[in-house]
């Protein structure tokens, strides 16, 4: 895929495609989407991976607007990321040590791992390989929380592979929503082995920050021709609402280490299905439409049987050129 310049993202006008979640048949809860455009897939369809309460699920679409469930990829997996190299697709994801349906004792949920599987057709997958183990990373624990690595994503950078990932887990003080405390990275000359972790975080909680004073949250890196962009679902305290909220921030970097906040792309909605938190995004550029597609997961409260429940669904933001060139017909 041809990389776009950073200005293509920073100058884009972002808007919500629809006030309602996108249609995903066969799923009650969807989190952390990772997707492929038709031109990237082996069959010309849109492909999406996201996790539900049972594990990592695979969806397809002919339009990118209505999605059909295909199959369960792997049980109990979280936070997928899909990377294509040649005719091979590499799917990175997080998995916890907890035994299925076990009690949530400290010992049973103390650690997590980042794994990778590969496929040529997105249907049949290889056996999983270990990429990172949270117990071997010093900054993988935030305060007294569980030891976690999460939300992996891979880019090629300066002739090597760079794997960005979340480190440490924190909870919102008022809702107990789980999210990521830090952003870190590891590098390797190979896709699936010999990862060397950079010991210092790239992003951390900043008490004096307007948008990152409670958590870093999920961060999605977008390679560009002259640098890197990042979409951060940062968490903060909102004084007017007197509660925790999240905002999608657009960041840029020339080296992938030092990041600058450019602007806010989206804030927590005032009401509706996405009024609690925006939890993650995945962003790709569709060349033929001159448009960035940003699928995101968000949650809100729904009432059933006289009680409030949290439901997570997927939405779509679009980023377009705010000043397209007008062809002179004279």
């Amino acid at each position: 895929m041809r990389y776009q310049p950073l200005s293509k993202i920073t100058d884009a006008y972002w808007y919500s495609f629809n006030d309602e979640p996108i249609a995903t048949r066969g799923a009650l809860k969807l989190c952390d989407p990772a997707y492929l455009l038709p031109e990237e897939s082996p069959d010309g369809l849109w492909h999406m991976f996201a996790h539900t309460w049972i594990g990592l699920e695979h969806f397809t679409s002919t339009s990118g607007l209505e999605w059909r469930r295909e199959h369960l990829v792997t049980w109990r997996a979280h936070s997928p990321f899909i990377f294509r190299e040649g005719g091979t697709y590499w799917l990175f994801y997080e998995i916890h040590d907890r035994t299925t349906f076990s009690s949530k004792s400290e010992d049973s949920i103390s650690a997590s791992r980042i794994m990778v599987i590969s496929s040529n057709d997105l249907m049949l997958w290889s056996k999983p390989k270990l990429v990172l183990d949270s117990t071997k990373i010093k900054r993988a624990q935030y305060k007294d929380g569980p030891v976690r690595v999460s939300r992996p994503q891979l880019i090629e950078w300066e002739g090597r592979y760079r794997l960005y990932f979340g480190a440490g887990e924190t909870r919102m003080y008022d809702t107990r929503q789980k999210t990521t405390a830090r952003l870190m990275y590891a590098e390797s000359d190979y896709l699936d082995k010999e990862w060397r972790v950079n010991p210092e975080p790239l992003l951390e909680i900043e008490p004096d920050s307007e948008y990152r004073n409670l958590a870093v949250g999920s961060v999605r890196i977008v390679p560009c021709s002259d640098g890197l962009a990042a979409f951060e679902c940062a968490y903060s305290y909102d004084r007017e609402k007197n509660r925790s909220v999240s905002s999608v921030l657009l960041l840029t970097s020339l080296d992938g280490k030092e990041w600058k906040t450019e602007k806010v792309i989206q804030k927590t909605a005032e009401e509706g299905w996405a009024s609690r938190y925006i939890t993650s995004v995945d962003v790709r550029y569709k060349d033929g439409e001159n448009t960035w597609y940003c699928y995101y997961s968000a949650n809100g409260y729904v009432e059933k049987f006289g009680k409030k429940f949290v439901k997570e669904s997927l939405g779509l933001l679009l980023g377009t050129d705010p000043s397209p060139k007008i062809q002179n017909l004279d």
Side-chain angles (χ1 to χ4, degrees):
M1 175 181 290
R2 181 170 61 92
Y3 288 162
Q4 302 298 317
L6 279 171
S7 60
K8 200 80 171 179
I9 287 186
T10 57
D11 294 345
Y13 169 71
W14 294 88
Y15 61 96
S16 180
F17 174 78
N18 198 323
D19 291 336
E20 298 299 322
I22 62 172
T24 49
R25 285 181 288 170
L28 298 177
K29 174 184 177 181
L30 281 176
C31 312
D32 293 357
Y35 76 99
L36 291 169
L37 295 165
E39 52 266 36
E40 301 173 295
S41 74
D43 55 9
L45 294 175
W46 297 70
H47 288 259
M48 180 181 288
F49 300 88
H51 76 253
T52 66
W53 68 275
I54 59 172
L56 189 56
E57 308 243 25
H58 179 197
F59 298 82
T60 59
S61 174
T62 57
S63 63
L65 303 179
E66 294 187 355
W67 295 82
R68 182 183 70 183
R69 182 184 182 276
E70 293 290 342
H71 67 285
L72 177 70
V73 178
T74 182
W75 185 257
R76 296 191 302 119
H78 301 260
S79 307
F81 178 79
I82 188 76
F83 179 84
R84 183 184 67 162
E85 186 173 70
T88 303
Y89 298 88
W90 299 82
L91 188 62
F92 293 81
Y93 59 90
E94 170 196 0
I95 191 164
H96 296 176
D97 278 348
R98 182 173 68 243
T99 303
T100 309
F101 303 124
S102 68
S103 62
K104 295 185 178 181
S105 67
E106 288 188 12
D107 290 339
S108 68
I109 60 173
S110 62
S112 66
R113 301 182 299 275
I114 289 174
M115 313 293 290
V116 66
I117 53 179
S118 61
S119 173
N120 295 322
D121 60 4
L122 301 177
M123 296 297 174
L124 298 175
W125 294 91
S126 66
K127 291 183 178 179
K129 291 185 178 181
L130 175 65
V131 177
L132 293 178
D133 185 336
S134 67
T135 62
K136 298 180 180 179
I137 299 174
K138 292 181 179 180
R139 304 302 292 272
Q141 185 177 36
Y142 179 72
K143 294 185 176 179
D144 295 325
V147 182
R148 286 280 186 268
V149 288
S150 60
R151 295 189 166 102
Q153 53 194 300
L154 185 76
I155 67 168
E156 292 183 80
W157 188 254
E158 297 179 342
R160 307 178 75 190
Y161 297 106
R162 182 176 289 182
L163 184 78
Y164 288 92
F165 62 94
E169 180 181 285
T170 186
R171 289 175 180 257
M172 294 300 98
Y173 70 94
D174 50 352
T175 64
R176 308 305 293 165
Q177 170 83 27
K178 297 178 183 178
T179 190
T180 304
R182 305 181 177 99
L183 177 69
M184 298 182 68
Y185 77 92
E187 289 186 314
S188 178
D189 296 319
Y190 307 95
L191 262 170
D192 57 353
K193 60 182 179 180
E194 298 181 13
W195 291 97
R196 294 172 290 280
V197 176
N198 184 67
E200 295 302 318
L202 304 177
L203 295 174
E204 291 189 277
I205 297 169
E206 300 174 21
D208 295 329
S209 169
E210 182 178 0
Y211 297 108
R212 196 183 297 130
N213 53 59
L214 293 180
V216 169
S218 172
V219 183
R220 180 65 91 216
I221 310 296
V222 181
C224 297
S225 60
D226 52 350
L228 296 173
F231 290 75
E232 178 189 1
C233 298
Y235 289 72
S236 61
Y237 171 67
D238 188 306
R239 291 183 181 275
E240 291 185 3
K241 298 178 180 178
N242 191 29
R243 70 176 181 92
S244 58
V245 298
S246 66
S247 304
V248 181
L249 309 179
L250 175 61
L251 316 178
T252 58
S253 175
L254 298 180
D255 62 3
K257 299 178 182 179
E258 298 291 331
W259 293 90
K260 174 188 175 184
T261 302
E262 297 287 348
K263 59 183 176 181
V264 178
I265 298 295
Q266 182 89 333
K267 291 185 176 181
T268 302
E270 293 295 329
E271 57 184 18
W273 70 274
S275 58
R276 193 168 178 262
Y277 301 106
I278 302 171
T279 57
S280 68
V281 305
D282 193 19
V283 184
R284 292 177 183 266
Y285 184 76
K286 198 162 187 352
D287 214 347
E289 298 179 10
N290 194 30
T291 300
W292 295 95
Y293 277 71
C294 175
Y295 289 96
Y296 65 95
S297 59
N299 56 44
Y301 292 105
V302 295
E303 259 195 55
K304 286 186 177 181
F305 312 112
K307 294 184 179 181
K308 276 188 175 181
F309 296 90
V310 175
K311 182 179 180 181
E312 192 136 9
S313 306
L314 301 186
L316 174 61
L317 297 174
L318 299 176
T320 59
D321 189 339
S323 56
K325 294 181 180 179
I326 300 175
Q327 184 179 4
N328 188 345
L329 300 180
D330 294 336

